[in-house]
Amino acid sequence: MSRFLSFRQDARRIAEADSVAVIGLGRFGTSLALELMASGTEVLGIDADEDLVQSLNGQLTQVVRADSTRIDVLEQLAIGEFDRVVVAIGSDITASILTASLLLTMRVPVIWAKAVDERHGAVLEQLGVHRVIYPEKDMGRRVAHLVRGAAADYLEIDRGYAVVKTVAPAHLQGITLTDGAVRSTYGVTIAAYRAMNGDWRNAEATTVLGDGDVILVVGPTREVEKFAQLR
Ligand code: ATP
């Protein structure tokens, strides 16, 4: 049996499960693939670099050294049978675009691709890639908000709308959220809270926060950032 034929059978079996193919196993692709594995998703990893493939052997469901810009290779790996494929090739923009275009030709239902800048992203979007992501730009923006503000964590859901993790301000401790009038005063919603050493719980109108509680606050970016400054 040829090497690719046996990979193809493995790839087919993986594609049938809750699975994702990750093409390009640089820092971003590897981190994504390992996180998917940790959360129970089967991963077929593909990279042109033999050393990288060797180093990930046994950590992903299957990892193959292959050139993703060749349609015969993608077909041999049964990539067309995956529901979700991520193109995590960045600096080699030609390889990224060629790979994405082949995946579209193969009618992969959901294709994600990483872009290194706006021009790269625009080409991927024009091709018809379903989700274009900008990890460096997004992380830069996220860290900017964290550096600037007082939040322990920050996630912008969409332009102008965010979730922050912060500590419960002193004046809201010991009273219900309704009595604290959080929504009407601050224009934000406390969605969840975690008491010290406790589990996360959904916040209710009757929730009473205590000293040291950590809260998740949802709302317009400006308002949640202002709220996170309260102590
Ligand atoms: P990162 O920041 O995630 O480390 P990067 O933006 O520097 O990555 P690249 O180095 O271009 O991105 O690509 C990531 C991986 O994609 C590399 O390990 C590289 O070997 C692989 N890769 C590049 N071209 C191809 C290709 N044609 N087929 C398969 N893998 C490829």
Side-chain angles (χ1 to χ4, degrees), residues 28 87-91 96 112-116 120 124 132-133 135-136:
F28 174 73
V87 183
I89 302 171
S91 37
S96 154
W112 291 62
K114 159 183 148 159
V116 288
H120 183 192
L124 291 168
V132 178
I133 42 169
E136 269 123 17

Side-chain angles (χ1 to χ4, degrees), residues 23-29 46-49 52 66-69 88-92 95 99 114 116 136:
I23 302 178
L25 299 168
R27 287 161 301 179
F28 174 73
I46 299 170
D47 200 286
D49 185 313
L52 252 176
D67 179 359
S68 62
T69 61
I89 302 171
S91 37
D92 188 344
T99 303
K114 159 183 148 159
V116 288
E136 269 123 17

